[in-house]
Amino acid sequence: FCHAHECLSADLAAELVGCGGNSAHIYSLEPNAGNLRKTRLRLRRLPRRWLRCITLQRAAVSNVTLPKAVLYGTGAKASLKADAYGGVAWTQGGTGNIDTTEDHHVETVPVVRLDDWARMQRPPVREVELLKIDVEGAEWEVLQGAQSLLRERRIAAVVLEYSHFWGSFKDGRGLKQVAESFADFGYDGYFVGTRCLVPISGPEMMWWHDLYEVCANPSARIYQGLAGWCWLN
């Protein structure tokens, strides 16, 4: 279960062996119409038998199920939050410089809670081996919409993006609060490092240190960002 333009690559799909019985299946919910078209075109290069293992759906994921809502921005940064990226598109040229342009693109998209989505599938999705979340600051809302799946431990692992957006929105939560919520459901939290996992929660948050709230304060010395960005998985 992943963000279409990021992890539905040929490399990932090649890991699927067979498409029947109890084999793996990838579900992708992508809200941006342009991203979805690009993903479909890319997947055409794959063997047809692999495509039976992939389901694409145009929808945004949040803590409510609605027939339509406004999606702001284009490309990888599309978000249900109007203030994500502040109406600015960021591109990196061949020189490594970061360029900005105004981005006032909006479109409407259906919105779904993961608890509702899993129940509506035919057959219903009862277990998720890996849930990948990258929704430009709305990660907490996605988790709120998956409370039943998490409480019942029907999601084996969650990979989400912790970014500077978490400290930008008034309704956002810090990393510690999200880690505590996962711990209440029996999950351990880790930073995904280049060579190892760094534990950040554990029983009664025994591994937590306030230093891990690295994206909360852009003026802090520990903050390392590109053009004001801070993100970790």
Side-chain angles (χ1 to χ4, degrees), residues 26 42 48 62 73 80 86 88 90 97 105 111 115 122 125 141 146 148 163 175 192 200 231-232:
I26 296 174
R42 185 172 186 180
R48 186 169 298 179
S62 189
L80 294 176
V88 176
W90 304 80
N97 295 327
H105 174 83
V111 181
D115 285 340
R122 293 294 179 268
V125 173
E141 286 86 346
S148 294
S163 72
L175 180 62
V192 180
I200 63 173
W231 70 90
L232 296 161

Side-chain angles (χ1 to χ4, degrees), residues 5-24:
H5 74 281
E6 288 190 341
C7 62
L8 269 182
S9 65
D11 293 337
L12 177 59
E15 296 297 322
L16 297 174
V17 180
C19 292
N22 297 322
S23 62

Side-chain angles (χ1 to χ4, degrees), residues 6-232:
E6 288 190 341
C7 62
L8 269 182
S9 65
D11 293 337
L12 177 59
E15 296 297 322
L16 297 174
V17 180
C19 292
N22 297 322
S23 62
H25 196 98
I26 296 174
Y27 294 92
S28 174
L29 274 64
E30 168 57 61
N32 183 272
N35 284 342
L36 194 61
R37 284 194 298 269
K38 292 176 183 177
T39 301
R40 292 188 189 280
L41 288 173
R42 185 172 186 180
L43 290 177
R44 287 181 182 177
R45 297 178 298 177
L46 298 178
R48 186 169 298 179
R49 66 182 184 278
W50 290 352
L51 298 181
R52 294 197 300 269
C53 302
I54 302 171
T55 299
L56 303 182
Q57 179 180 347
R58 183 169 181 259
V61 181
S62 189
N63 55 2
V64 294
T65 295
L66 298 170
K68 63 180 179 179
V70 177
L71 182 75
Y72 300 89
T74 57
K77 71 180 187 60
S79 174
L80 294 176
K81 292 181 176 288
D83 41 355
Y85 283 87
V88 176
W90 304 80
T91 56
Q92 184 173 2
T95 62
N97 295 327
I98 302 297
D99 299 319
T100 62
T101 56
E102 290 188 1
D103 181 6
H104 301 298
H105 174 83
V106 296
E107 58 187 279
T108 57
V109 62
V111 181
V112 65
R113 297 168 66 247
L114 286 180
D115 285 340
D116 294 337
W117 173 87
R119 187 168 52 251
M120 291 186 296
Q121 301 309 297
R122 293 294 179 268
V125 173
R126 304 195 181 281
E127 294 184 352
V128 176
E129 292 186 18
L130 175 64
L131 172 63
K132 173 68 168 65
I133 308 172
D134 183 357
V135 287
E136 310 305 333
E139 283 78 10
W140 175 243
E141 286 86 346
V142 173
L143 296 173
Q144 285 180 309
Q147 292 293 287
S148 294
L149 291 168
L150 293 168
R151 185 180 302 109
E152 298 166 8
R153 300 295 300 275
R154 292 164 55 195
I155 301 177
V158 180
V159 177
L160 56 81
E161 183 182 70
Y162 166 54
S163 72
H164 57 285
F165 285 132
W166 287 33
S168 302
F169 304 123
K170 295 180 181 179
D171 59 347
R173 289 200 173 200
L175 180 62
K176 183 177 182 180
Q177 287 75 27
V178 172
E180 287 175 335
S181 178
F182 272 111
D184 289 342
F185 292 137
Y187 291 88
D188 291 332
Y190 302 85
F191 278 135
V192 180
T194 55
R195 296 185 178 181
C196 61
L197 299 177
V198 179
I200 63 173
S201 61
E204 300 181 358
M205 297 294 291
M206 63 181 294
W207 300 326
W208 175 260
H209 191 286
D210 289 343
L211 186 67
Y212 296 150
E213 202 73 76
V214 62
C215 292
N217 184 8
S219 63
R221 293 184 64 185
I222 191 64
Y223 184 103
Q224 295 292 321
L226 177 66
W229 300 343
C230 173
W231 70 90
L232 296 161

